[in-house]
Amino acid sequence: MFILLLGAPGSGKGTQGNILAERLGLPKITTGDLLRAAVQQGTPLGREAKTYMDKGQLVPDAVIMGLIKDQLARPEAANGAILDGFPRTAAQAELVDTTFAERGARLHHILLLDVPEDELVRRVQGRAVLEGRSDDTPAAIRTRLEIYQRDTAPLIAHYAQRGNVRRVPATGTVDDIAMEIKRLIGR
Ligand code: B4P
């Protein structure tokens, strides 16, 4: 089973993705975590990505497409995975669509975590205090929300055309939202 998580920064994709991956025993492919690991290890990808991430900008498609391709090709993700944090642009969506079409696979569930903007800002500011992530500064948060609206939100319509996007009201407790997702996907 392949599940795609869509939603604004701070909507809880990572949080719910971890719960889903554990419950369903599926690998989770998270571009944000992979990029942060690359930054920490100081790899060429990480050094380049950091300059964009710190400003709240998307890492350019030219840099990230190879990473997505490699992750989708992982043998353990051959029969199912949770996709979290990508696609974020039309070009990334095309890459995902083409990869699945080539394999004769499909995205079984596309879940849109829906959270009002003031709550998103509150959550990310809370995380800034707890984790000190360099892209959780007030200026970077503003940029991330703007870029989400410009580049990523249009993907909702792209997937909605195929009729399999489910909107998940994602403002309750983490457990309540996890229960709602369980109900929506039927397992
Ligand atoms: P991500 O790592 O994807 O960061 P995010 O959108 O903030 O995370 P998420 O929505 O998963 O929120 P979380 O569960 O953590 O991206 C970071 C950066 O990497 C991007 O800005 C970009 O630069 C780069 N990047 C990543 N992928 C890319 C791509 N494909 N292309 C280009 N660039 C890319 O939750 C947030 C907070 O809310 C947490 O503190 C959590 O504890 C809290 N929370 C969660 N659920 C809650 C709930 N129900 N109630 C209260 N708080 C909750």
Side-chain angles (χ1 to χ4, degrees), residues 2 51-52 64 88 91 175:
F2 288 94
T51 60
Y52 297 96
I64 201 136
R88 262 177 154 98
D175 285 348

Side-chain angles (χ1 to χ4, degrees), residues 110-174:
I110 300 175
L111 303 173
L112 170 64
L113 300 185
D114 194 11
V115 177
E117 191 162 315
D118 54 348
E119 169 72 6
L120 293 172
V121 172
R122 206 179 56 75
R123 285 187 192 176
V124 176
Q125 282 172 345
R127 184 171 63 189
V129 174
L130 291 174
E131 296 178 19
R133 244 169 73 170
S134 56
D135 60 345
D136 282 343
T137 61
I141 296 165
R142 245 190 333 272
T143 305
R144 286 162 65 196
L145 289 171
E146 280 167 19
I147 291 178
Y148 172 77
Q149 287 305 335
R150 190 189 71 198
D151 293 342
T152 308
L155 301 183
I156 299 165
H158 169 82
Y159 287 112
Q161 278 171 358
R162 303 174 194 181
N164 58 350
V165 176
R166 314 280 189 91
R167 195 173 285 269
V168 183
T171 43
T173 67
V174 169

Side-chain angles (χ1 to χ4, degrees), residues 19-52:
I19 294 172
L20 269 172
E22 193 172 331
R23 193 175 75 232
L24 301 177
L26 290 173
K28 187 165 84 96
I29 305 175
T30 307
T31 43
D33 287 352
L34 291 163
L35 290 169
R36 278 185 288 279
V39 169
Q40 207 160 23
Q41 287 156 15
T43 66
L45 168 72
R47 283 199 298 275
E48 178 154 18
K50 184 171 167 44
T51 60
Y52 297 96

Side-chain angles (χ1 to χ4, degrees), residues 2 29 65-78 81 83 86 92 95-100 103 107:
F2 288 94
I29 305 175
M65 296 292 250
L67 179 78
I68 292 178
K69 233 181 192 157
D70 290 349
Q71 289 298 315
L72 290 176
R74 274 167 49 192
E76 61 271 34
L83 314 188
F86 74 100
Q92 292 178 25
L95 174 65
V96 171
D97 292 353
T98 311
T99 306
F100 275 80
R103 284 191 199 172
L107 293 166

